[in-house]
Amino acid sequence: LVETPKGGFVIWLTGLPGSGKTTLASLIEAQLRASELKVETLDGDEVRKWLSPNEGFSMEDRERHLKRVAHVAGLLSRNGVVVICAFVSPYMSTRKYARSVIANFVEVYVKCSLETCQERDPKGLYKKARAGLITNMTGVQDVYETPPSAEIVVDTEAVLPEKNASEIVSKLQDLGYLAGSAGV
Ligand SMILES: Nc1ncnc2c1ncn2[C@@H]1O[C@H](COP(=O)(O)OP(=O)(O)OP(=O)(O)O)[C@@H](O)[C@H]1O
Ligand SMILES: [Mg+2]
């Protein structure tokens, strides 16, 4: 396995539901694995089941859940793992907390308009929220606080996923987290 220049780090993908976090996480993971890096992905839906089975989607519950995620990601990254986190993480305060407990933290804003996310609606959650079947849906009943200073911003409306993923990898090289050859 290949070592990274600054050791492990966390790629924290934040964005509206349907913005493309899971799609990009799996593309980035594949690209980094191909470069023989140690990679682990923590993705919202999957991780929630075992890490926070009793939490819902209120602000307090989301905060508790994501604080746990941040600590897990921090532990892995300080042991040399490249951790890809894919969580809506709608609150600035939570992302700030994650940044404060993770030494090598790279915030990626997965940017996509609410209109397009609602059209994509890959899980049918926006439809359910509009029909009143679920509450606390980010973008419908709940806020998404746009990151003012993410290290990386990708536009998933104008740019194809593969291109977004390559942009992220090359930005990670620019930031010194990946050696020049990684992922290319
Ligand atoms: N450039 C792009 N990047 C990523 N996804 C894209 C892009 N263009 C279109 N899509 C599509 O948008 C959808 C994004 O769904 P995805 O499950 O990745 O979103 P998500 O952010 O993980 O949502 P959630 O927060 O609900 O888990 C997919 O159907 C994907 O194919
Ligand atoms: Mg997802």
Side-chain angles (χ1 to χ4, degrees):
L1 287 168
V2 174
E3 296 293 322
T4 38
K6 297 186 185 182
F9 59 94
V10 175
I11 305 166
W12 189 283
L13 304 168
T14 171
L16 285 166
S19 57
K21 301 177 295 298
T22 297
T23 304
L24 295 181
S26 61
L27 288 171
I28 300 164
E29 178 176 338
Q31 212 167 324
L32 297 182
R33 276 194 199 283
S35 305
E36 294 184 59
L37 299 180
K38 274 187 275 185
V39 193
E40 197 62 66
T41 297
L42 301 174
D43 193 302
D45 310 304
E46 157 63 18
V47 170
R48 237 177 200 277
K49 282 182 226 152
W50 54 264
L51 191 67
S52 305
N54 299 319
E55 310 299 348
F57 291 87
S58 68
M59 180 171 187
E60 294 72 25
D61 283 9
R62 285 182 202 253
E63 287 259 28
R64 258 197 298 274
H65 169 51
L66 290 174
K67 280 183 176 178
R68 292 178 195 139
V69 169
H71 283 281
V72 173
L75 289 177
L76 287 167
S77 64
R78 79 170 193 225
N79 283 287
V81 179
V82 179
V83 187
I84 304 169
C85 291
F87 297 88
V88 176
S89 41
Y91 307 119
M92 216 118 69
S93 57
T94 325
R95 299 188 305 252
K96 202 170 158 189
Y97 179 85
R99 186 184 289 278
S100 76
V101 298
I102 296 168
N104 289 338
F105 184 81
V106 184
E107 190 175 340
V108 180
Y109 174 31
V110 181
K111 191 176 162 199
C112 183
S113 71
L114 181 60
E115 291 66 37
T116 299
C117 289
Q118 293 200 337
E119 277 167 31
R120 290 177 182 170
D121 204 8
K123 299 178 197 162
L125 291 176
Y126 286 107
K127 199 169 165 223
K128 278 191 184 164
R130 285 196 305 269
L133 298 171
I134 54 167
T135 53
N136 297 119
M137 175 68 180
T138 303
V140 183
Q141 300 102 339
D142 220 344
V143 294
Y144 178 79
E145 296 174 352
T146 304
S149 52
E151 278 80 5
I152 304 176
V153 180
V154 286
D155 180 346
T156 72
E157 256 179 305
V159 182
L160 290 173
E162 289 71 19
K163 181 89 190 301
N164 286 146
S166 304
E167 273 174 22
I168 293 170
V169 169
S170 85
K171 196 70 207 292
L172 290 168
Q173 291 169 354
D174 295 346
L175 293 168
Y177 285 104
L178 292 176
S181 61
V184 176

